Amino acid sequence: MAFGNYLDSRVSAVVGTHTHVATSDEKILSGGTAYITDVGMTGAADSIAGVDAEMVIKQYLTMKPTMWKGAVGEPEINAVVVDIDEKTGKAYDIFRLKRRLTGNVIQISAEPRLFTKFLGNVVRLDSLNSVARYLMSYLQKKTNIKNIAFIERDCYQTIARYSSIEPEALEKIKEELHTDPETGKRFFKDYFIMTYRDIENPELYYSIVFKTNRKVKFDKMLIEIFRSLYSKLRKEKLLIQTNDELSILYEVGKEIATTIELHGEDGLINKIMEATTKVMNCESSSVMMIDERTQELYFIVGIGEKGDKIKEVRLKKGQGIAGWVVETGRAAVVPDTSKDKRFFKDADDHTKYNTRSLIAVPLKSKGKVIGVLEVLNRKGEILFNEHDLYMLEAIAQQAANAIDNAKLYDRIKFLYRSTVEVLANAMDSKDAYTHGHSRRVAAYTVDIATEMGMNPVQVSDLEIAALLHDIGKIGIRDSILCKPGRLTHDEYDIIKTHPVISGKILEPVDFLKSLIPVIRHHHERFDGAGYPDNLSGDKIPLGARIIAVADTFDAMTSDRAYRKGLPPDVAKQELLDNSGTQFDPNIVQIFIDIFDRKYKDNFEEIKSKFASQEKILKDFLGQ
Ligand SMILES: [Fe+2]
Ligand SMILES: [Fe+2]
């Protein structure tokens, strides 16, 4: 500490490290030097200074020398980040980073990892992770050589009786391991290939012999060869699972851009998870949310074979790996569930699914865990690794944002719809003849649009257009609009201005602009004899053609102050008689089918349902 204080203002940072556990005294000294006595080290977290705790305690209690062994278990990484002013070199902030790694670091590494053991005169490849194992089997398959050994020169000379290698096999290995694709560096000068026969094991080996006898250099070279082979395979897209960040972010981003609905089959979360399952090359995936009331986890999305079945499962607080993720707020990479105590088998028993491996990451909104996102059972030879974890964490962030946005969107949509409905009601109550007209036209329009296969966003837009189609009638004098008898020619001309006025009213409202053509043309006729623009056939926007059918049908069947509405069968016949002249024949047919299926048997009920809602509003307004 004296040393650190002595260097204050002379250097930017003094970072000490000695014990395994960091001494949290990070601070900025008065002269602008960042200081910490002990940044901590990296290694097994449950230990005494990196040593197996039991052994140290034993020695402490007995005061007898004990054999110490390095601790194993979940490792922790300790570090500090120092913010330094570029101009003055003075530090202005220091903070500690501490990350507990989940699972076995070697096993979950996204890079090839392995250790070599020099056992007497035999070099053994030890602790290969799944990436390294994959590369070994790739080499064997590609070269048709079952036994590939990596041998250090001295070992080679003592154990081998060598003969010449077959030229063909040599070429194949050269092809695979010749140069580093990133640096273009030739590996070949550092090793050569020979065959040998193990004295104890008479099988023929092809060996890659390194021109070194130093273990450190040997290991480094070996790792370098594996890495270079791996990056070559990834570049050539030879690996089934590509881990291509861009492709997944593209897929997910595309969904976010085009999908508004959050839940359901076509909902955003479902689409994000479908893309994730595909790009992560796994069998299935799921999203769980926390039930605020019971603190249980329930499934909102299940992609894959047992996707529907899993939705019947609820996890109690702290149960399973997902429960652990919620409690700790940390992610879990589990390359092998059978070796993980946290794994909860009951969910698998219920769904008859066999979860072999998984990654689970927390879904966080405003720093709070709101759910868990999981991918299950990696396909192919390479197990789930830390690279997948980082990808999934990025996806979870996107999903959490989408959930936040969708909640906001739902609320805005609700407010927007209510406003439009109040407006439509106010308008309908102005026109004494047409109680509930707009709502009924909207209901028929939604039915037709859905039947015609429009997507939910298009249907919802059209519904708003239908609710507002006659809004222009607000601009027409009551004496004309509410006149009980026949209209004069001039009066009728004034009524005919309402679609244009509707358009003008909506023009200043940005998000309603796209609906204007549909509303403006709802009185056009299919044969071109309508108003205001005499459009015909396909020139009339599809939405306007739909509303025209719904509008006329409702106008005919509605009761008016001075007459009962026509019976639906008569109105239907009217539509058919004018099909092809006034109306789009296709839409008439679709509407009649829907009517017979859905409204025929309870028509009076439907008519009065909308009218009564409007009456409440009218009473409220004191009209
Ligand atoms: Fe109209
Ligand atoms: Fe109308």
Side-chain angles (χ1 to χ4, degrees):
M1 286 180 79
F3 175 66
N5 279 275
Y6 169 72
L7 286 178
D8 185 18
S9 86
R10 293 185 165 96
V11 296
S12 292
V14 176
V15 179
T17 175
H18 179 65
T19 62
H20 179 77
V21 180
T23 312
S24 32
D25 62 351
E26 67 276 16
K27 61 188 161 195
I28 304 293
L29 300 176
S30 58
T33 290
Y35 176 82
I36 181 166
T37 303
D38 189 353
V39 70
M41 280 157 48
T42 292
D46 297 324
S47 68
I48 295 174
V51 179
D52 190 299
E54 229 171 272
M55 297 174 175
V56 182
I57 293 169
K58 194 171 160 199
Q59 174 162 342
Y60 172 71
L61 291 175
T62 61
M63 288 297 161
K64 282 184 195 140
T66 327
M67 264 282 271
W68 282 4
K69 239 176 50 190
V72 288
E74 283 193 346
E76 193 172 271
I77 287 175
N78 287 291
V80 282
V81 175
V82 180
D83 278 324
I84 297 169
D85 188 304
E86 266 181 56
K87 289 201 188 88
T88 63
K90 286 191 189 302
Y92 53 86
D93 198 9
I94 175 170
F95 60 93
R96 295 209 303 121
L97 281 180
K98 182 180 159 107
R99 179 161 182 170
R100 182 81 74 98
L101 297 174
T102 309
N104 182 322
V105 211
I106 302 295
Q107 276 310 323
I108 70 167
S109 171
E111 293 285 330
R113 291 285 158 89
L114 54 92
F115 287 117
T116 53
K117 263 194 184 152
F118 281 47
L119 299 170
N121 48 14
V122 182
V123 184
R124 210 175 73 198
L125 295 192
D126 219 14
S127 307
L128 280 78
N129 72 350
S130 69
V131 180
R133 252 201 316 272
Y134 170 80
L135 293 173
M136 273 308 277
S137 76
Y138 169 84
L139 270 179
Q140 285 165 348
K141 259 184 247 156
K142 196 74 191 202
T143 56
N144 281 324
I145 298 170
K146 215 176 100 218
N147 299 311
I148 297 178
F150 295 86
I151 312 272
E152 178 264 325
R153 193 183 55 193
D154 288 357
C155 296
Y156 172 79
Q157 284 168 346
T158 56
I159 64 167
R161 280 192 297 123
Y162 43 97
S163 55
S164 63
I165 194 164
E166 290 156 42
E168 208 185 311
L170 179 67
E171 277 316 305
K172 275 182 190 155
I173 295 186
K174 270 185 177 176
E175 215 176 274
E176 292 304 323
L177 296 174
H178 202 54
T179 46
D180 183 330
E182 309 244 298
T183 59
K185 186 176 127 197
R186 285 172 62 96
F187 279 127
F188 242 72
K189 64 176 173 21
D190 296 327
Y191 58 88
F192 57 95
I193 298 170
M194 284 287 199
T195 55
Y196 77 94
R197 276 178 214 280
D198 191 329
I199 293 162
E200 273 145 47
N201 177 8
E203 245 182 303
L204 189 68
Y205 278 77
Y206 291 91
S207 54
I208 295 164
V209 182
F210 291 88
K211 292 177 181 167
T212 175
N213 52 9
R214 286 177 50 222
K215 181 178 176 336
V216 176
K217 201 166 172 215
F218 179 88
D219 284 359
K220 216 179 130 216
M221 276 162 54
L222 197 55
I223 288 278
E224 231 177 298
I225 288 172
F226 269 76
R227 270 208 192 125
S228 113
L229 179 62
Y230 189 46
S231 89
K232 186 175 107 185
L233 295 189
R234 283 174 67 163
K235 260 206 191 112
E236 293 169 7
K237 302 260 181 238
L238 287 177
L239 281 177
I240 315 157
Q241 137 262 349
T242 61
N243 272 341
D244 187 339
E245 294 89 341
L246 281 178
S247 76
I248 189 164
L249 291 177
Y250 173 75
E251 296 264 349
V252 170
K254 207 171 63 187
E255 299 306 346
I256 291 177
T258 55
T259 317
I260 304 168
E261 299 296 328
L262 183 64
H263 297 294
E265 287 282 292
D266 290 327
L268 184 56
I269 298 292
N270 227 49
K271 286 188 171 174
I272 289 179
M273 293 317 290
E274 268 170 12
T276 306
T277 312
K278 203 171 80 196
V279 186
M280 289 274 208
N281 194 29
C282 58
E283 280 178 13
S284 52
S285 67
S286 59
V287 178
M288 284 156 265
M289 299 297 278
I290 299 172
D291 183 333
E292 285 291 333
R293 205 170 39 82
T294 61
Q295 291 298 305
E296 288 177 339
L297 280 168
Y298 62 97
F299 287 81
I300 59 164
V301 172
I303 305 284
E305 201 194 326
K306 302 286 180 179
D308 285 329
K309 196 82 180 140
I310 193 72
K311 288 186 189 156
E312 297 164 9
V313 175
R314 282 177 87 96
L315 292 178
K316 295 218 167 53
K317 200 175 172 221
Q319 214 166 37
I321 290 170
W324 180 86
V325 168
V326 172
E327 278 196 337
T328 58
R330 280 160 49 192
V333 183
V334 184
D336 184 353
T337 50
S338 70
K339 291 191 182 134
D340 198 304
K341 311 192 277 289
R342 294 167 302 185
F343 183 64
F344 178 64
K345 287 184 195 66
D346 293 21
D348 268 11
D349 289 347
H350 182 82
T351 55
K352 308 267 182 297
Y353 188 76
N354 179 18
T355 307
R356 299 184 305 274
S357 59
L358 66 87
I359 304 183
V361 297
L363 272 176
K364 287 183 183 168
S365 167
K366 297 175 191 85
K368 209 178 130 210
V369 180
I370 55 165
V372 177
L373 198 149
E374 270 187 0
V375 289
L376 311 174
N377 291 1
R378 159 57 60 77
K379 295 189 221 165
E381 289 157 76
I382 296 180
L383 299 175
F384 280 133
N385 54 50
E386 55 182 355
H387 187 91
D388 302 306
L389 171 65
Y390 300 143
M391 284 305 302
L392 205 60
E393 281 179 335
I395 293 166
Q397 189 55 55
Q398 298 252 39
N401 288 348
I403 290 171
D404 281 350
N405 288 345
K407 276 189 192 148
L408 202 64
Y409 173 80
D410 276 349
R411 171 122 193 89
I412 291 171
K413 205 168 71 175
F414 175 74
L415 287 175
Y416 164 54
R417 242 198 90 93
S418 325
T419 312
V420 170
E421 276 188 20
V422 167
L423 204 60
N425 281 344
M427 179 181 64
D428 284 351
S429 52
K430 179 175 150 70
D431 185 342
Y433 306 137
T434 54
H435 294 315
H437 170 65
S438 306
R439 281 167 161 272
R440 285 190 300 268
V441 173
Y444 297 147
T445 299
V446 166
D447 288 335
I448 300 170
T450 308
E451 185 78 23
M452 291 180 84
M454 289 191 181
N455 71 39
V457 179
Q458 291 169 316
V459 172
S460 153
D461 277 356
L462 207 51
E463 183 185 20
I464 301 290
L467 280 168
L468 296 174
H469 75 280
D470 278 340
I471 190 90
K473 285 188 177 168
I474 281 178
I476 292 171
R477 281 199 306 280
D478 284 3
S479 60
I480 300 175
L481 199 61
C482 306
K483 188 173 167 184
R486 250 187 190 290
L487 293 172
T488 67
H489 198 77
D490 289 348
E491 284 169 343
Y492 192 52
D493 276 349
I494 291 172
I495 291 270
K496 276 160 75 176
T497 60
H498 82 270
V500 178
I501 301 174
S502 297
K504 290 221 172 89
I505 290 174
L506 300 182
E507 201 147 291
V509 190
D510 233 5
F511 61 90
L512 294 176
K513 262 193 190 136
S514 62
L515 309 179
I516 292 176
V518 172
I519 292 172
R520 182 182 168 94
H521 298 297
H522 78 271
H523 283 290
E524 303 285 2
R525 288 172 54 108
F526 203 61
D527 57 11
Y531 60 88
D533 298 319
N534 300 110
L535 298 185
S536 65
D538 290 351
K539 299 258 161 42
I540 308 167
L542 178 61
R545 278 179 272 149
I546 293 174
I547 291 177
V549 172
D551 186 23
T552 315
F553 182 81
D554 184 66
M556 288 191 289
T557 51
S558 297
D559 299 327
R560 300 209 168 177
Y562 56 95
R563 66 148 171 84
K564 276 287 275 169
L566 292 175
D569 282 341
V570 180
K572 262 161 52 184
Q573 195 51 50
E574 273 295 307
L575 290 182
L576 285 171
D577 290 347
N578 294 293
S579 176
T581 49
Q582 188 174 350
F583 307 114
D584 181 333
N586 181 31
I587 294 170
V588 169
Q589 200 46 60
I590 289 170
F591 175 70
I592 286 176
D593 289 348
I594 293 169
F595 185 86
D596 288 345
R597 209 170 55 220
K598 191 169 168 189
Y599 295 108
K600 208 174 153 185
D601 299 328
N602 51 355
F603 189 55
E604 284 308 314
E605 207 180 300
I606 301 240
K607 260 166 70 176
S608 56
K609 190 177 121 204
F610 293 115
S612 66
Q613 281 175 345
E614 184 192 316
K615 192 170 172 302
I616 296 167
L617 182 81
K618 214 172 154 183
D619 292 346
F620 176 73
L621 294 172
Q623 286 178 349

